[in-house]
Amino acid sequence: MQLIVPSEYSNLSVIVSNDAGSNRFFELGQDNASFNLDLTPDLIGTLRIIAFIIDNEDKFAIDSLSINVLPISKLDSISFINDEINIPLGQSMPLGIVGYLNNSTFINLSQAVKLQYNVDNTTIAYIDDVNLLHALNLGTTYIMASYQGIETYIKVNVYEGDDWINAPTCTTPNTPISTDVYDIGQNSATLSWIPSNPIGSPTVIYNWVIGTSPLVTFGNGVTQGTSYGSLVTTSSLSPGTTYYLRVYATTTCNNTSSGYITSIAFTTSGIYGCTTPGTPVAVTATTTGLTSANLAWAVGNPAGSATVTYYWVVGTSPSVTYGSGVAQGSTVETTVPISSLSPGINYYLRVYGITNCNYSSSGHGTSSVFTTSGSGGCITPGSPVDVFGTATGLNSANLDWSAGNPAGSPTVTYYWVVGTNTAVTYGNGVAQGSTTNTWLSTSSLSPGTTYYLRVYATTNCNNTSSGYGTSYAFTTSTNSGCITPGLPVAVSGIATGQNSANLDWSAGNPAGSPTVTYYWVIGTNPSVTYGNGVAQGSTTNTWLSTSSLSPGTSYYLRVYATTSCNNTSSGYGTSYAFTTSTIVGFILPDHTISLFMVLLQA
């Protein structure tokens, strides 16, 4: 509230007081003609406002004013119905300020107020902005109205339950269901969806986005927006384009959100019947020389309209893209000759079509591999075939293969590698080398080991290479008379005390030769391994005892066997669980023991 001071007075002081004894004191300077009085809750009641001057320490009142500030704990005529605050103002009673008090700060909501004028000359002021209404915390709201120059604050409480405002229960909405896109035009479409339970509360906003990917997210689409309902229209699309609609729901009370629902693809109409071309088919390239080839393809389905331009690219990868190839260009035809390739190289042709009416594109059509003629008759060799490795001893094997198709020219070198897996590559094997023959032998292997032979061929005229040929597995011989032991059987642990147990097992089948060492381990789980147990060791016997255990604990014994001739090992044999004894008895205090001894002596 603003108080105006008569212009003929200056250097005034003002006291504002009420019946409860609350006072405010203001001193106005020479140039002050007004001051603002905030009508906070401590000034509720009948306020007396006195302006005076001080002359020779005497006070001379020059004016006074009284206003009523009425406290009302609950006002029935103010209602909250269907997300609206309704305030009857009476005849010709204008509304002053509507707001609420938040930590002694008055929050003005006047801009949200709407007025309804009735036929009986009464006025109802109302607020129907649900976001503002739900922002009201439980507590006190102050509503101020003006009438005939008197400003009145009405204090109302925001209650839970069935009183003035029902405190909204916040529920996160579920993902919407059953999206639909219809009335599709060149640039427009109608979008709809159905909320699913729980719908969410108190107020749910639906965030929708349209993009060319089924994974498009809000903020990254070609068009997007928010809605309180489940039906919107958009006119921000492009003709002849395939889109996806995605929608998720958010509740305003805590901003939690549902997941996305995604529509099936929909396509806008093309300009004047413009049709996006289908992916070119029957894409082929035929070598015509060392550096040349004829490129050809057939139109896709649909052919596209009005005029389709084909963009072609040749590269050494089946995923080469336009702008990254060794040769590329565009044409409205379906054939083109080229002469910018290299001799003896494997290439791929890729083609896609674009219509000029809306510049939409097809996918890529890709040819099979084609190879230009080699320089001076140079031919890249095919992958070697009939690749075999035949063990001839503990450390040796014969390696054989046949030339691929084509054999390659003029001179082909074979690079071979032996390893323990089928994907071993040259430079990473246990034995490897190169030769111009199709056979050799090696003596760099280990006994009793399974290997694979892999071979590829390279021509010296342009250093192009074939793929790998790979043999079946072959295994070198074990040491003469050396037998890997089978896993120990009849493994058992028998507790013999609080910390001790007897451990027993029998040799596996085969027993192994010539000397077998057993490695044993005890742990609290049946998959414990040697080196990680609570007790472990090795022995050439099939029994032993241990005293390194804990009372009342369940254990497992595991044992494996190793032969000394080639250090090959069996798998683990595992016992059933066994449990050490618990501590039995009690301990007497020292004085009890002394008394016990005296009684014995007596």
Side-chain angles (χ1 to χ4, degrees), residues 384-400:
V385 295
D386 300 327
V387 182
F388 292 101
T390 305
T392 57
L394 297 172
N395 309 102
S396 60
N398 289 333
L399 314 177
D400 297 272

Side-chain angles (χ1 to χ4, degrees), residues 465-492:
S465 299
S466 72
Y468 277 98
T470 305
S471 74
Y472 293 106
F474 65 96
T475 305
T476 52
S477 304
T478 58
N479 288 333
S480 178
C482 188
I483 300 174
T484 300
L487 63 85
V489 295
V491 180
S492 66

Side-chain angles (χ1 to χ4, degrees), residues 18 260 267 289 300 304 309 334 403 422 440 451 586:
N18 70 353
Y260 277 97
T267 304
T309 301
T334 56
T422 57
L440 58 90
Y451 292 106
F586 57 89

